[in-house]
Amino acid sequence: MVAGLNPTRANTDVNARRIAFIEQCFGNSGQPLGGLNRVLVGEGILTKMCRKKPKPRQFFLFNDVLVYGNILINKKKYNKQHILPLDSIQLKSIDDIEDGLNHGWQIISPSKSFSVYAATAVEKNDWMTHINQCIHTLRTRKGSNVDTCQTSPVWVPDVEANVCMHCRKSEFSVLNRRHHCRSCGIVCCSSCSDKRWLLPHQSQKPLRVCLTCFNKLTIQALERTPLGVSSSVPSVEDFGQEKFSEPPTFYSP
């Protein structure tokens, strides 16, 4: 049995102390993590591809959620806590590339999607195996299927786009800023992303989208509108992988 999937561990003192310590490390910047039948499955540092560059982040895998945050003091203090429900997550492996980030995979969810990288191939396999088994167990228990859920795109990192990925002409500079389409994740200039669209799975407010996605979303909205019913379109105007000496920890029953 995979560590953490044994329901008898949920109410043990050891599990409760581990979760309480994580709550202490996040302090007032985090939400309470203790809950009925919640088990800490594993924890460790992964390199998260952020908008401007890769950065180390502390990840905690529970049997129902994936939690991560910024590292202020390793194993002592974290902030900017993020919580992703496992039953809405999909994983997608990323092929290794020469002279680039390796041992990576995408974490795809309705609210937020991004790429992460482990220090070794073994650690990547451990993380993906444990996450997928937690997802499978949770969905089986709930009888849910994520395939019908809308997901957020994985953003293209800023450093991978020197020119607008939409018009292929506008060069980025201090004055000509980069923007991301919230529908497809490409990096585009202001002119090519001056439209907004309501994407409820990401935000309650209309978000910036590129012209291609705006047109596609408009057509889809019109196709869903029955004949004779007016449609209200919801729009408004150096890579390097840091190595860590400590592998992730997955807990045994």
Side-chain angles (χ1 to χ4, degrees):
M1 182 174 288
V2 173
L5 300 187
N6 187 343
T8 61
R9 290 186 51 221
N11 300 312
T12 64
D13 289 340
V14 173
N15 182 64
R17 287 197 298 270
R18 288 170 177 162
I19 295 177
F21 181 71
I22 296 171
E23 291 177 332
Q24 178 184 323
C25 290
F26 275 106
N28 295 331
S29 68
Q31 300 179 30
L33 297 173
L36 183 64
N37 297 324
R38 175 167 287 175
V39 174
L40 177 63
V41 178
E43 60 181 279
I45 296 175
L46 295 171
T47 298
K48 178 178 178 289
M49 176 56 72
C50 299
R51 175 171 180 168
K52 295 187 180 297
K53 63 179 182 179
K55 296 180 181 180
R57 294 288 184 260
Q58 182 72 34
F59 279 78
F60 300 95
L61 174 62
F62 294 86
N63 60 337
D64 61 336
V65 294
L66 182 66
V67 179
Y68 68 95
N70 293 6
I71 303 171
L72 300 181
I73 304 175
N74 190 27
K75 294 187 177 181
K76 290 185 178 181
K77 190 171 182 61
Y78 312 114
N79 69 356
K80 296 186 177 180
Q81 182 190 83
H82 297 269
I83 302 176
L84 300 177
L86 284 182
D87 57 356
S88 64
I89 284 179
Q90 303 174 50
L91 302 186
K92 182 179 179 181
S93 181
I94 300 174
D95 293 336
D96 291 349
I97 57 174
E98 188 175 354
D99 298 326
L101 292 169
N102 293 319
H103 320 308
W105 67 97
Q106 293 178 343
I107 296 175
I108 302 171
S109 77
S111 61
K112 193 175 183 65
S113 300
F114 50 89
S115 300
V116 292
Y117 298 84
T120 67
V122 172
E123 290 184 17
K124 171 184 175 178
N125 181 69
D126 285 345
W127 272 106
M128 293 190 71
T129 298
H130 283 80
I131 295 174
N132 276 323
Q133 294 209 27
C134 287
I135 292 173
H136 175 73
T137 300
L138 187 62
R139 290 180 187 164
T140 300
R141 189 173 75 239
K142 290 186 174 182
S144 61
N145 189 335
V146 76
D147 292 340
T148 58
C149 295
Q150 289 182 296
T151 57
S152 297
V154 176
W155 285 14
V156 176
D158 285 1
V159 293
E160 292 188 12
N162 293 322
V163 299
C164 174
M165 298 176 70
H166 189 273
C167 66
R168 307 287 182 178
K169 297 177 181 179
S170 181
E171 294 185 3
F172 296 121
S173 64
V174 176
L175 298 179
N176 187 24
R177 295 178 55 234
R178 293 172 173 84
H179 300 277
H180 279 83
C181 172
R182 269 57 171 185
S183 180
C184 69
I186 67 168
V187 183
C188 40
C189 64
S190 176
S191 297
C192 292
S193 60
D194 62 352
K195 304 293 185 182
R196 293 181 180 272
W197 195 274
L198 182 62
L199 303 170
H201 55 290
Q202 293 189 46
S203 173
Q204 296 180 347
K205 298 180 180 179
L207 300 174
R208 182 186 295 269
V209 295
C210 69
L211 297 179
T212 297
C213 286
F214 177 81
N215 292 333
K216 181 177 69 175
L217 291 166
T218 300
I219 292 173
Q220 291 174 350
L222 292 174
E223 290 176 343
R224 290 194 298 267
T225 303
L227 292 176
V229 178
S230 61
S231 172
S232 177
V233 179
S235 62
V236 182
E237 300 292 12
D238 175 38
F239 262 30
Q241 186 169 5
E242 188 168 351
K243 300 295 183 180
F244 300 98
S245 58
E246 296 182 6
T249 300
F250 295 102
Y251 301 107
S252 301

